[in-house]
Structures are given as structure tokens and as C-alpha cells.
Amino acid sequence: MINSLRGFRDLLPPESDLFARIETAAREVFGLYGYQEVRLPVLEKKELFVKSTGDTTDIVEKEMYAFTDGGGREVALRPEGTPGLVRAYIEHNLGQTGRNGKYFYIGPMFRAERPQAGRYREFTQIGAENIGNSSPYADAETIAMLVRLLEKAGVAGCSVVLNSLGCGDCRKAYRELLLAFLRGRSETLCEPCRGRIERNPLRALDCKTDGPALAETAPKLSLCPACAEHFSRTRELLKISGVEFQVNTSLVRGLDYYTRTVFEVRSAALGGQDAVCGGGRYDDLVRSMGGPAAPAIGWAVGVDRMALLLKDKPAPDTAPGAFVVSAAKEAGEKAFALLTALRAAGISSDYSSFDLSLKSQMRSADKSGASFALLIGEDELKAGAVTIKPLKEKSGQYTVPIKDAPAEIEKRLPKL
Ligand code: HAM
């Protein structure tokens, strides 16, 4: 017996159905906001993530599934979607297409984290990126879209946490200030932070070990006038959009590319792994990866975590409308043709096996939750007919010509 890997899950019904519902809700919302889908490779050059996500982040330093392939290439399973999207944007000159620069993606991401409830090594993200728009309208629009998606999917009780990390200029002065502060207490920091503060002092604020204490004591970033104005406009526009949020100056996010607005959506119901979504602006990433100067903003929701929040919501009824039963051996072919006709008419239909006994087939029909059993026995075969037996009521069975059966069932099934 070979089991699945730790942190890698089989998504079985009804959870798989929840994933599909969330994806359907997302596609509807993306349609409303003018986002188009891109499907990106799961495997990329390792360098892509080192350069964009950042070589001092936990994701790249500790969690990436990186390896050398048979051809000696350094590759990695994508730990997040933004770098691949930015690569595709640059590689295909998407900025030249005259499109609105709004893209979404849905798919698996991989991080070798310690698995626990809500944290897996393979998980699904739905991500949205708006490239080429530097205005605070884009910030408010993208966050409002995220809130709309959560509502549409039925996820309630979440809070939006917001902060601004400023631009390169605001951060240059802050970097020195923070570095001096961290150097002064380096013996109290965890091993990885001690190793990386010189390269990226901001990472200590996001560290799972040191971050919480530092949030209280570390110096705070002060925004330059342009970034302060951007942040203030974003907050005003969010209010106009009816989005509730809290500003939290400790929110730094665990990826290197962010500038200005950053945000997370959290749910207390998730416990330790409470982030349902993370995102922010990355105005310098496209250029730093070799593309045009294209400011951008985006987010990604964790579908696994959304599904955890929805798991007690009843799934829509997936029972078939009709269950076809062959009550005589010779009736199998007619029953099989009837299944085809029912499905062609848009009626979800099922059967067990036409070679089994009538009793066994009827037992399966009852278990399936179908509304009607459609029986073809010797008499029906001779008459070119089918007997319709309502399964949810005790009585009322009747016989109709076989060609009329789909229309008859359609008439009697509740309209969706
Ligand atoms: P992130 O915060 O690293 O951001 O991930 C976004 C979401 O993915 C998290 O809020 C969480 O719901 C989910 N997630 C992350 N790791 C795991 C895990 N191990 N198991 C289950 N769910 C997980 C990003 O990935 C950025 N690319 C978001 C972004 C897009 N920023 C700008 N554009």
C-alpha cells in the first residue's frame, strides 16, 4: 500500500465540490471586474522565485520544492503565483496588447511547510493581479473585489487588515533605523533572523518567532508624503466601496516585492492559520524582473482555507433526477439508450448495472437519492414503454411511451 505524501491531500467529495463552488463564485466575480484567466506552468526556473519572492523569505529559504532536473536545470515547483504571472506578462509583452492588465489564475502551489490544520504542502490559490495601474482606485477596487468574492462564495466573519509599506524611498531611511535597532538586540533574535537582518531587516518583523515581540517595540515606518496620500486615498475609496477594514502597522507580509498597500483577510474561525488571503502592491517588481515600468497590485486567496470555513454549509443536491433500471435481461440495451436520451435532454441520470437483479438495482436507485426510477421490464419492452416510479413518494407509478420519458421527467423535476 503506497500512501500519499505528508501535506499532500486527495480532495474527495464533498470537499472537492466545495472547491468547485468557490472556483465558480470566483469566475463570476472576475467576470464582473473584467479579469481574464491565465494558466501558468507549475514548474519554473528556481531563479524566478529567488529574484521575485525574495532570497531572504521563508518561502524561498526554507519552503521551496527546488531541485535539479535531469537536464541539470535548477527548477522549483511554484510556491506562489505572482512571479509566474509577472514572467508571463513580460515574456508575452502583455503590456502592449491594449488590454486592461487584469489577470486571474487558479491552481496548486507548493510549500514545504510543517503541515497542520489549514496548512498543506500542496494547496490551491485563486489569485488576481492588476498590472499597469498605479492609482489608489485600483487598490480599493481589488480589495472590494476580494470581499465580493468571499461574500459570493458564502465565507462570512472575516476581517480585512490593511497597511502601507511605503515606496523604496520611504524604506531606505527606515531600513537603516530598523537595522540599527535589530543589531542592538541581535542576541535575542532567532538563528535565521540573525543570519538575514543585514540583507533584509524587514523580514524579522514578519518572522513567526521574533515578529510578535518586535511588532511592539521596533521603530515604525513613516511614509513619504506621496505614499501617505496614496494610503489615505485608498482608505477613503474603500469606505466608499463599503469595505470594512482595520489598519495594522505591524502587517509586513512574508514576500519581498511589496510596496505601498498591503493587506490580509483573516478569520478567527481558522485558528492558527488564520489568513484566508494575502496581497498588496508591487510597483517595482515588473521592472526589476526585466519588464517595463508597470505598477501592479494583486492578491491570492487560499481555497483550502475558504473550504474549511464553508465545510458546514450544505452542499447543493447532487442526486440524479432519474435512475434507470432494467427489469429484464433483454431490456438492457433499451435502458442504456434511455440513459443517453435523458442526459441529452439535460436530466442528470444514473444506473447501477443492468446485469444485476431488479431488487439490487432498485436498492441502488433508492440509495442514489434520485427523484424517479425509470423501469423497463418485459411488458414495457413489448410496448415500447417505460414505467416511471416516483422514489420520494410511496405511490403514483405510471407508464409512458419510452420516447416521451425525458419530457415527462423534465416536467416533473423541480426547476433549478
Ligand atoms: P501569501 O500570503 O503567501 O501570498 O498566500 C496567500 C494565501 O494562500 C494565504 O493567505 C493562505 O490562505 C494561502 N496559503 C499560503 N500558504 C498556504 C499553505 N501552506 N497551506 C494552505 N494555504 C496556504 C501570496 O502567495 C502572494 N502571491 C499574494 C499576492 C498576489 N500578492 C500580490 N499578488
Side-chain angles (χ1 to χ4, degrees):
M1 170 64 200
I2 301 170
N3 293 325
S4 60
L5 289 166
R6 193 162 170 251
F8 289 73
R9 303 184 301 152
D10 299 308
L11 278 177
L12 306 174
E15 200 182 359
S16 53
D17 181 60
L18 277 179
F19 270 58
R21 275 161 62 191
I22 293 166
E23 289 180 18
T24 303
R27 285 175 193 282
E28 274 181 41
V29 172
F30 287 136
L32 290 174
Y33 285 80
Y35 278 69
Q36 288 181 302
E37 183 171 15
V38 284
R39 299 196 184 202
L40 299 160
V42 166
L43 197 69
E44 297 265 9
K45 288 182 183 158
K46 177 183 170 187
E47 205 193 340
L48 175 71
F49 305 108
V50 174
K51 283 198 175 149
S52 52
T53 312
D55 58 353
T56 55
T57 59
D58 280 355
I59 295 177
V60 168
E61 265 194 333
K62 304 192 222 158
E63 298 165 0
M64 206 152 65
Y65 281 95
F67 56 96
T68 311
D69 77 0
R73 286 167 290 257
E74 295 286 321
V75 294
L77 287 174
R78 60 181 184 191
E80 55 143 342
T82 310
L85 189 102
V86 166
R87 179 201 46 71
Y89 182 87
I90 300 169
E91 194 169 327
H92 304 289
N93 274 320
L94 295 182
Q96 304 291 306
T97 58
R99 284 238 157 84
N100 60 10
K102 292 171 167 180
Y103 303 98
F104 78 88
Y105 48 87
I106 301 179
M109 307 292 157
F110 303 85
R111 297 183 193 176
E113 297 187 79
R114 203 158 46 80
Q116 62 180 76
R119 190 163 74 193
Y120 313 101
R121 292 182 168 171
E122 178 183 14
F123 57 97
T124 300
Q125 279 188 349
I126 298 179
E129 315 287 353
N130 182 351
I131 304 183
N133 191 337
S134 64
S135 159
Y137 283 108
D139 300 45
E141 181 195 28
T142 200
I143 297 172
M145 174 171 77
L146 164 62
V147 171
R148 180 132 183 93
L149 162 59
L150 295 170
E151 270 169 18
K152 183 99 198 161
V155 173
C158 292
S159 53
V160 178
V161 182
L162 194 69
N163 192 20
S164 174
L165 297 180
C167 61
D169 287 344
C170 322
R171 280 232 288 276
K172 211 180 283 164
Y174 180 59
R175 187 183 187 282
E176 295 313 314
L177 201 66
L178 184 61
L179 191 56
F181 171 84
L182 294 172
R183 276 183 188 142
R185 59 188 58 223
S186 77
E187 72 287 353
T188 65
L189 300 177
C190 71
E191 193 68 35
C193 276
R194 251 179 278 160
R196 65 190 171 190
I197 54 170
E198 297 293 329
R199 286 181 294 153
N200 190 347
L202 214 65
R203 281 281 69 84
L205 300 180
D206 176 58
C207 167
K208 285 166 194 129
T209 319
D210 298 330
L214 291 173
E216 307 289 315
T217 50
K220 297 273 180 259
L221 173 88
S222 61
L223 298 175
C224 71
C227 288
E229 168 65 13
H230 185 99
F231 193 38
S232 143
R233 280 295 285 151
T234 299
R235 295 192 316 261
E236 275 166 35
L237 293 169
L238 278 173
K239 284 183 193 147
I240 292 174
S241 317
V243 173
E244 284 179 33
F245 59 89
Q246 296 139 26
V247 173
N248 181 341
T249 52
S250 305
L251 178 68
V252 284
R253 306 270 304 128
L255 305 93
D256 269 359
Y257 45 67
Y258 291 116
T259 51
R260 294 193 160 174
T261 314
V262 287
F263 50 93
E264 276 183 8
V265 173
R266 295 176 182 161
S267 164
L270 283 175
Q273 301 304 312
D274 67 350
V276 179
C277 178
R281 238 185 205 290
Y282 47 97
D283 288 345
D284 303 327
L285 182 62
V286 179
R287 196 181 30 205
S288 75
M289 297 302 288
I297 183 162
W299 48 253
V301 289
V303 180
D304 307 69
R305 293 186 190 171
M306 283 179 77
L308 276 176
L309 293 171
L310 290 174
K311 72 176 187 312
D312 298 327
K313 300 239 166 144
D317 190 4
T318 52
F323 200 99
V324 177
V325 171
S326 157
K329 267 235 149 45
E330 319 73 64
E333 284 180 15
K334 276 270 184 286
F336 195 58
L338 175 60
L339 266 178
T340 308
L342 287 163
R343 289 167 178 162
I347 297 161
S348 71
S349 311
D350 211 349
Y351 73 113
S352 56
S353 166
F354 298 137
D355 299 329
L356 293 173
S357 70
L358 172 63
K359 203 168 154 201
S360 152
Q361 290 184 61
M362 281 309 293
R363 213 181 302 127
S364 300
D366 279 326
K367 272 201 198 144
S368 77
S371 304
F372 299 97
L374 273 64
L375 280 87
I376 306 182
E378 273 168 30
D379 292 346
E380 286 87 354
L381 202 57
K382 271 186 223 137
V386 55
T387 294
I388 297 177
K389 185 172 163 31
L391 291 173
K392 306 222 161 123
E393 302 122 46
K394 286 267 169 302
S395 59
Q397 102 177 24
Y398 60 106
T399 302
V400 298
I402 207 163
K403 67 174 179 17
D404 297 342
E408 189 65 25
I409 297 296
E410 201 177 3
K411 201 166 67 193
R412 298 199 50 189
L413 280 177
K415 293 279 164 284
L416 292 177

